[in-house]
Amino acid sequence: MNEQSNPSAAERVEKLQGMGSCRKRVEDARFTQGKGNYVDDIKLPGMLFGDFVRSSYGHARIKSINKEAALAVPGVVAILTADDLKPFDLHYMPTLAGDVQAVLADEKVLFQGQEIAFVVAEDRYAAADAVELVEVEYEELPVLVDAFKAMDEDAPLLREDIKDKMDGAHGPRKHHNHIFFWEEGDKEGTNKALENSDVVVEELIYYPRVHPNPLETCGCVASMDKINGKLTIWGTFQAPHAVRTVVALITPLEEHNIRIISPDIGGGFGNKVGVYPGYICAAAASIVIGVPIKWVEDKIENLTSTAFARDYHMTGKIGATKDGIITALDCHVLADHGAFDACADPTKFPAGFFSICTGSYDIPIAHCGVDGVYTNKAPGGVAYRCSFRVTEAAYMIERMIDVLARKLEMDPAELRMKNFIKKEQFPYTSALGWEYDSGDYHTAMNKALDAVDYKALRTEQLENRAAFERGNSRSLMGVGVAFFTEIVGAGPVKNCDILGLGMFDSCEIRIHPTGSATARLGTISQGQGHATTFAQILATEIGLPAENITVEEGDTDTAPYGLGTYGSRSTPVAGAAAAMAGRKIRAKAQMIAAYLLEVHDDDVEWDIDRFQVKGNPEKFKTMQELCFAAYNQAIPGLEPGLEAVSYYDPPNMTYPFGAYICVVDIDVDTGVVDVRRFYALDDCGTRINPMVIEGQIHGGLTEALAIAMGQEIAYDDLGNVKGGSLMDFFLPTAVETPEWETDHTTTPSPHHPIGAKGVGESPNVGGVPAFSNAVNDAFAHLGLTHTQMPHDHWRVWKTAQRLGITG
Ligand code: CDP
């Protein structure tokens, strides 16, 4: 009989704060008290500062660079140009997409803001002063900013460095500005099915170039310890281990002598996946000079040079019977990748997971093709709160479904319901080859429609239109319905790698004798609350309170190898690794418990936080007792200690989904769109922390609002960036942000150890089409089929003007 008092099962569950509990975020204690430790907080003795001279032109030849005046600025130590990097073969770097990118412009510049020279100085002010004094003489070249003109016969040659290399990383190139053509599905069959369809609609849908724009910009501190031969880089890295391997591959340093540390990160959203010239220049300068070098970009540099997202011109074609059964989908994308192909996608997927574009619908046959082209714009193509182009795919199909509904004069929600993949069809293989793990779309959609009283909304809309017609109202009501299926959790390794690095993830748990634990993972939180939620998974799996489990990420010297955090992969992959490592701990604890309870291993069973003798729950050993025994009691046949590591290669991705409904009122005389209501139902399988999920949804919806309603990194014909500062790039504040109503259903993933799917990106994926559908819906009765994003006041007003309804 155990001497300890025995709290009730409910009390024990409560104490663990495991999965399903709304545990408060542990990280917030330091973030809200100014105790976060970000890259720019790193200050090392003797540290120097780097800053870039950047191109003023979109396309120009560099005739000369004069550093003389800049070098005379007190405190300036060195100014690097491409010529200085050439001896080390560092003037070009590999991109994540199999291309190369100039670290410092070599003889010509290809986009405004491109890095030309790296000034190193004793403080950042001297560096900034010197940047101003570096004289670059340019010879302007014809600029290409229109992706549709990239493959014209007379289009200017952008990439002289690869002009004769017609075999690209993803197959043959058709033109000097062509990067790749990638396709999936049955083109011929799809064409036939479209020809035989009662109804076919076609639309060019543009997803504008936007930017993740995290609060903290990109930066690093590189510190070469020449005596010990060790290079340490603190950086804003979403994948620190991958960075370590890449550094080992492009420098003479051995991987064990490279330490990459991602400290606290102030938002990533895909912006911090890529490799940027600042990292290479800081590391190169530190290796040469032998002192730590810090480089931190400012907001304008962030917006104009490190990463962009989307920029997809998508022509969708969808066929259906006259009753609204979809027969086929075809889509062609013209993808504007900017001056270098630096897209962050798994190697085999140059257009990411765009082929998820059949969405949530049981479409019998489909085809999609993507042409990537170079233009005089910044490189990037990152997955901005997105799993490798799923956001573009979801936007295309959700707009197309609305366009089709209009053509069929059918309610858009009804058309969706008619074509949804049915619950009993899961696991479902889509026409483009993805195996959706689980889903119950009809239940989710019905719940959403009921929650907002959809029928009443449509009745109100009819009344509103009648009142508008009569001249009794100057605003139009729009109801946007969107239903999305996400694809998150890359790997599996057999399909997904980045630069040859397999996309598994990992968790290592070290249990301490007194019943606490340290868990380390290959991922890295950028605000998602991993320290809170991964401890919850472990609390449930190993029966120790979450508050006794410290989660560490982001230091390659201590964390097990993993591929990092982006594409909502942390929960599907590292979360699974955590559960599996926890189960290894529990398996050993079971043997210890059986020995201590003097029964066979099979005669003990797990109960919340303990092993008890089967049929005799009074006889038990708590996990805390077992932790102590693991270290301090000689157990025949067992090594002392209690540790485990799991490297998890997921068998499939997970497919979260959701039903979003947005109601807007548009003032046709000003173009102001008032979001009256936004309802978001998400299904991310097993929910680890409902409160954290809600926070993720709120943040993602706010980003979706920003994208749909105002964000765009546009270029003028000369290649000048028009949306390059926060004066021009829409960043919603509390004033513009509506109330979010959140809801959920729970359809666990059958292959994930705890049934969880990712969630962080869902609101961005589903939110953008919901907003856009709402704006388009407001004008639908006037014959409008599709109007492009962003739906800012000016463009919405222009739409109203085109329709002849402005005052
Ligand atoms: O990879 P990333 O962390 O951006 O995305 P995620 O896996 O979707 O997780 C975002 C946050 O939501 C993490 O703190 C997760 O633990 C939490 N989450 C959850 O509580 N339950 C889920 N089913 C999925 C995510």
Side-chain angles (χ1 to χ4, degrees), residues 153 163 203 264 272 284 289 386 430 451 459 547 621 788:
E153 225 173 291
K163 69 174 189 309
E203 198 62 52
D264 285 328
K272 294 166 182 170
I289 304 172
C386 160
S430 75
T459 309
E547 64 179 350
K621 287 287 169 193
Q788 306 289 8

Side-chain angles (χ1 to χ4, degrees), residues 688-763:
I688 300 158
N689 184 326
M691 190 171 67
V692 167
I693 292 174
E694 196 175 348
Q696 293 286 301
I697 306 288
H698 281 202
L701 288 177
T702 308
E703 279 178 324
L705 170 91
I707 293 170
M709 299 307 196
Q711 290 190 340
E712 185 175 17
I713 302 279
Y715 287 75
D716 70 13
D717 290 346
L718 295 174
N720 296 307
V721 193
K722 295 201 285 182
S725 87
L726 294 182
M727 293 298 285
D728 316 297
F729 191 73
F730 175 44
L731 199 61
T733 65
V735 175
E736 293 93 357
T737 307
E739 290 278 317
W740 308 118
E741 293 170 55
T742 57
D743 205 345
H744 69 280
T745 53
T746 303
T747 312
S749 166
H751 64 77
H752 189 279
I754 56 168
K757 304 179 179 186
V759 76
E761 290 154 4
S762 296

Side-chain angles (χ1 to χ4, degrees), residues 4 15 513-515 543-544 548 609 622-629:
Q4 276 183 310
K15 182 153 195 288
T514 51
L544 294 176
N548 290 354
D609 58 354
T622 64
M623 195 63 196
Q624 192 169 4
E625 292 170 311
L626 295 170
C627 295
F628 201 78

Side-chain angles (χ1 to χ4, degrees), residues 20-21 25 27 238 385 486 488 523-534 536-537 553 564-573 575 656 683-694 696 754-762:
S21 126
R25 285 168 37 111
E27 346 7 34
Q238 288 182 233
R385 209 168 184 148
E486 259 259 70
V488 299
T523 42
I524 173 73
S525 189
Q526 308 122 41
Q528 297 94 326
H530 291 179
T532 307
T533 53
F534 285 139
Q536 291 181 251
I537 297 176
E553 299 175 307
T565 292
Y566 39 87
S568 274
R569 67 185 296 280
S570 301
T571 303
V573 194
D683 192 321
C684 57
T686 305
R687 288 148 49 92
I688 300 158
N689 184 326
M691 190 171 67
V692 167
I693 292 174
E694 196 175 348
Q696 293 286 301
I754 56 168
K757 304 179 179 186
V759 76
E761 290 154 4
S762 296

Side-chain angles (χ1 to χ4, degrees), residues 384-433:
Y384 168 13
R385 209 168 184 148
C386 160
S387 191
F388 313 118
R389 307 287 187 182
V390 63
T391 313
E392 290 88 324
Y395 181 58
M396 190 278 297
I397 185 71
E398 287 306 293
R399 278 299 305 131
M400 286 309 296
I401 295 284
D402 264 31
V403 169
L404 178 63
R406 220 111 286 160
K407 177 83 176 175
L408 292 165
E409 294 182 2
M410 194 179 272
D411 180 89
E414 189 195 332
L415 180 61
R416 285 177 169 83
M417 292 285 243
K418 218 171 212 185
N419 288 283
F420 276 157
I421 302 161
K422 295 184 191 68
K423 189 179 170 186
E424 55 277 15
Q425 288 177 273
F426 291 93
Y428 170 87
T429 303
S430 75
L432 294 178

